[in-house]
Amino acid sequence: LQTRMQAGQGYGNTLQCVLTVYKNESVAGFFKGMSFPLASIGIYSSMVFGVYSNTLRFLSQVRHRDQATAPSLTDMTVASLVAGFLSVGIGTPVELVKIRLQMQTQPYTKESVKLKSTVPGSPVYQGPIHCFRTILQKEGIAGIYRGNVAMLLRDVPGYYAYFIPYAMFCDWITPDGSISPNPFSIWVAGGVAGAVSWAVCTPMDVVKSRLQADGVYLNQYKGTLDCMLQSYQNEGVKVFFRGLMVNTVRGFPSSAAMFLGYELSLKAMKRWQTETNP
């Protein structure tokens, strides 16, 4: 829904988008392009959380000479920015394939746009591997990383608005005297962090989605700035908030589950290490 509303045409609101997708593509339409993200989400998430936690550990050692020292706001800021910057390397190709698969059945009606030979609305890619291979063959490495600047502008502030609210909110709702937050506190703090992060990310997420969808049947945008200018000129400021509700609503449960799984996994591994090497 997020991609369709941000980069597609003819969707007035979220409900209309849901009904249109279901009418034209049935239930399967809601799961288009998900196999590639599902196959890579473990690697992507472990990289993001690993970079964040290891950067915090490094900063604590360098700045405070003690890895056990509670990280400061400055430490968390630097770690979140580093995680957001490095995430683009893995995230951009995954997002590109997902969006191309989701958007390849969308019609394009602008007469001013020079269409490619493929008829709009007809499938271009047979699956995620075929999509990745086709883009690589026709557009090279630059094509695989199409939209990377927009994604960088999305993820660097986005992960700042992800990890910082989580740490602050988790600390705020954890009862006094507790050594570590309970699972419910982690779940709520993670959900709030996800909603806040996606609210911050949505404007650049719109630009990224449009840049990556561009190229299935047409080439409309010359780059990130051109995409922003064209979108603003054609649809006004409101275009940068397309999909905001979908992003924030999905951000809560997905991030809540992500942080809960991360924290519980860490506790389980630490307990296992303690039992194995007392």
Side-chain angles (χ1 to χ4, degrees):
L1 298 180
Q2 165 215 1
T3 303
R4 302 292 180 94
M5 292 187 68
Q6 291 178 344
Q9 297 180 3
Y11 305 113
N13 52 54
T14 305
L15 179 59
Q16 184 180 0
C17 183
V18 172
L19 295 176
T20 302
V21 172
Y22 180 76
K23 178 182 178 181
N24 296 336
E25 304 170 53
S26 73
V27 177
F30 296 103
F31 297 93
K32 275 189 175 179
M34 291 310 298
S35 57
F36 202 42
L38 283 174
S40 58
I41 187 64
I43 299 173
Y44 178 78
S45 298
S46 64
M47 188 276 291
V48 170
F49 279 85
V51 168
Y52 176 76
S53 59
N54 281 291
T55 303
L56 279 183
R57 190 177 297 111
F58 172 77
L59 292 174
S60 295
Q61 186 175 13
V62 171
R63 287 161 54 86
H64 311 292
R65 304 297 180 184
D66 184 9
Q67 294 184 8
T69 303
S72 65
L73 179 59
T74 301
D75 294 342
M76 291 188 289
T77 298
V78 173
S80 62
L81 296 180
V82 171
F85 182 82
L86 294 180
S87 70
V88 176
I90 297 177
T92 302
V94 174
E95 288 279 304
L96 177 69
V97 171
K98 181 191 74 171
I99 288 177
R100 289 290 179 91
L101 289 173
Q102 290 173 342
M103 295 300 296
Q104 65 175 336
T105 57
Q106 298 301 291
Y108 289 88
T109 58
K110 288 188 175 181
E111 296 178 356
S112 60
V113 176
K114 183 179 179 181
L115 296 174
K116 295 182 179 180
S117 59
T118 308
V119 179
S122 62
V124 177
Y125 311 113
Q126 300 170 7
I129 302 301
H130 179 256
C131 177
F132 184 88
R133 187 171 62 247
T134 301
I135 296 172
L136 187 61
Q137 290 174 347
K138 293 184 177 181
E139 304 175 47
I141 298 296
I144 291 297
Y145 282 92
R146 185 179 181 85
N148 61 338
V149 175
M151 191 163 181
L152 192 67
L153 295 174
R154 183 197 75 170
D155 284 2
V156 171
Y159 277 112
Y160 173 80
Y162 188 61
F163 288 111
I164 304 299
Y166 169 75
M168 296 178 67
F169 198 80
C170 199
D171 181 66
W172 179 59
I173 64 177
T174 299
D176 294 335
S178 297
I179 300 176
S180 60
N182 57 51
F184 179 74
S185 297
I186 295 171
W187 187 85
V188 173
V192 170
V196 170
S197 177
W198 274 109
V200 171
C201 286
T202 294
M204 287 311 303
D205 190 46
V206 172
V207 177
K208 180 200 70 71
S209 295
R210 291 189 167 205
L211 281 170
Q212 293 184 326
D214 187 42
V216 180
Y217 304 110
L218 52 84
N219 287 307
Q220 183 177 354
Y221 307 117
K222 298 177 182 179
T224 302
L225 182 60
D226 182 55
C227 179
M228 294 172 66
L229 292 175
Q230 284 196 46
S231 298
Y232 174 74
Q233 290 171 356
N234 295 331
E235 302 173 63
V237 177
K238 65 180 181 180
V239 68
F240 298 108
F241 298 94
R242 275 193 172 191
L244 176 62
M245 186 178 74
V246 174
N247 276 342
T248 52
V249 168
R250 75 155 186 177
F252 190 99
S254 62
S255 296
M258 184 76 72
F259 274 106
L260 183 61
Y262 172 73
E263 297 286 5
L264 293 181
S265 297
L266 279 183
K267 289 182 180 180
M269 286 186 284
K270 288 178 180 179
R271 185 168 56 250
W272 178 79
Q273 289 178 344
T274 302
E275 294 174 353
T276 305
N277 303 303

